[in-house]
């Protein structure tokens, strides 16, 4: 069963308030090997509000998710372990603001408290109360778009931040937070639009995924580009 119920309350000309509760499930990975593995189930709760005022829009939400029979994936051995239980709860913030006729700011941030309620590792270690592996305490992104109406170019400056997290099977170990800066732009010439961007502008070295003593490095400074050109009357582009 997957019941879902929600409520939305909108004040005339004012903010919106909402709340919802739902339950979901999915089949456990590896059930062909072990048909006794139970379904993974989760109860999710969320409540929040959205406020719009002129050129600004702000959203705030609190959430909680209780997972039973959770599977934990080991990226090193590509195996999973079942019968765990966890709780994830936190706060989400969103902002969209038209600063003026040229600049537009947007941001999305999440703050998460994620811990195992019950989990025993393959080595018999009790992990109840430990932070969920590979789940950051917070993450977010902020973008500033500059699009002057009098010129044929636009620029986008962005950054994303990933908070500290515990690598897989590394209880007591916390990797530091890191942030990346990005830069992109576009130039219109006739019907064509030429795009150019740089990810990880400062070439920051970071670990994207870690399991035990093995680590996968993050993407270094990367330059990418593209061309968009409308074809026919439909407006499709390539």
């Amino acid at each position: 069963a997957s019941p879902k119920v929600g409520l939305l309350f909108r004040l005339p000309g004012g903010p919106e308030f909402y709340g919802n509760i739902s339950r979901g499930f999915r089949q456990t990975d590896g059930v062909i090997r072990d048909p006794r593995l139970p379904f993974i189930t989760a109860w999710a709760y969320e409540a929040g509000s959205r406020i719009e005022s002129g050129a600004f829009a702000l959203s705030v939400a609190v959430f909680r998710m209780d997972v039973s029979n959770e599977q934990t994936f080991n990226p090193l051995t590509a195996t999973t372990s079942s019968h765990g239980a966890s709780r994830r709860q936190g706060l989400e913030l969103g902002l969209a603001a038209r600063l003026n006729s040229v600049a537009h700011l947007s941001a999305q941030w999440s703050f998460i408290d994620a811990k195992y309620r019950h989990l025993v590792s393959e080595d018999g270690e009790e992990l109840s109360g430990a932070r969920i592996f590979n789940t950051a305490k917070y993450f977010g992104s902020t973008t500033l778009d500059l699009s002057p109406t009098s010129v044929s170019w636009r620029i986008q400056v962005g950054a994303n931040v990933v908070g500290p997290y515990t690598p897989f099977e590394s209880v007591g170990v916390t990797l530091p937070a890191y942030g990346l800066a990005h830069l992109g732009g576009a130039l219109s010439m006739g019907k064509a639009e030429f795009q150019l961007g740089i990810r990880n502008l400062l070439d920051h070295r970071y670990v994207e995924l870690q399991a035990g003593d093995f680590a996968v490095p993050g993407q270094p400074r990367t330059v990418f580009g593209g061309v968009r050109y409308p074809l026919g009357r439909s407006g499709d582009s390539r």
Side-chain angles (χ1 to χ4, degrees):
S2 296
K4 299 178 178 66
V5 60
L7 177 66
L8 172 65
F9 182 73
R10 182 181 293 113
L11 294 175
E16 298 178 350
F17 299 91
Y18 71 90
N20 59 67
I21 301 174
S22 63
R23 178 185 185 272
F25 69 93
R26 74 172 180 85
Q27 181 64 67
T28 306
D29 297 331
V31 70
I32 296 178
R33 183 181 66 253
D34 186 358
R36 298 169 299 175
L37 292 175
F39 286 108
I40 300 172
T41 61
W43 279 98
Y45 315 88
E46 184 178 3
S49 177
R50 178 179 173 83
I51 303 172
E52 293 188 18
S53 177
F56 293 84
L58 175 67
S59 62
V60 180
V62 292
F63 64 89
R64 175 170 166 174
M65 184 170 63
D66 293 317
V67 182
S68 299
N69 300 322
E70 179 174 7
Q71 280 193 321
T72 302
F73 177 73
N74 186 334
L76 180 60
T77 61
T79 59
T80 58
S81 57
S82 300
H83 308 297
S86 66
R87 174 172 297 161
R88 296 167 175 82
Q89 55 190 4
L91 172 70
E92 291 182 343
L93 301 174
L95 172 67
R98 175 67 67 177
L99 304 181
N100 51 45
S101 60
V102 175
H104 180 265
L105 179 70
S106 61
Q108 295 288 336
W109 285 80
S110 296
F111 302 87
I112 305 173
D113 175 35
K115 295 181 179 179
Y116 291 112
R117 291 184 295 142
H118 171 68
L119 182 69
V120 179
S121 68
E122 296 179 353
D123 299 329
E125 184 180 6
E126 175 61 52
L127 301 179
S128 301
R131 290 196 56 83
I132 296 177
F133 299 136
N134 294 328
T135 302
K137 293 184 178 180
Y138 58 84
F139 59 89
S141 63
T142 303
T143 303
L144 177 64
D145 286 288
L146 303 176
S147 304
T149 56
S150 59
V151 298
S152 58
W153 53 264
R154 54 188 173 87
I155 295 177
Q156 184 180 82
V157 181
N160 68 286
V161 175
V162 177
Y165 67 92
T166 299
F168 184 82
E169 289 190 343
S170 300
V171 179
V173 176
T174 302
L175 297 183
Y178 65 87
L180 304 176
H182 315 290
L183 177 65
L187 175 66
S188 298
M189 300 181 63
K191 293 184 178 181
E193 181 182 75
F194 297 88
Q195 302 170 340
L196 182 66
I198 305 175
R199 290 189 57 82
N200 194 0
L201 178 65
L202 304 179
D203 199 23
H204 177 68
R205 294 186 178 183
Y206 64 100
V207 176
E208 185 171 9
L209 177 66
Q210 182 167 331
D213 296 329
F214 293 84
V216 177
Q219 185 182 45
R221 181 189 295 123
T222 305
V223 179
F224 63 91
V227 179
R228 297 180 69 251
Y229 190 87
L231 301 177
R233 297 181 180 179
S234 63
D236 295 339
S237 60
R238 295 286 179 87

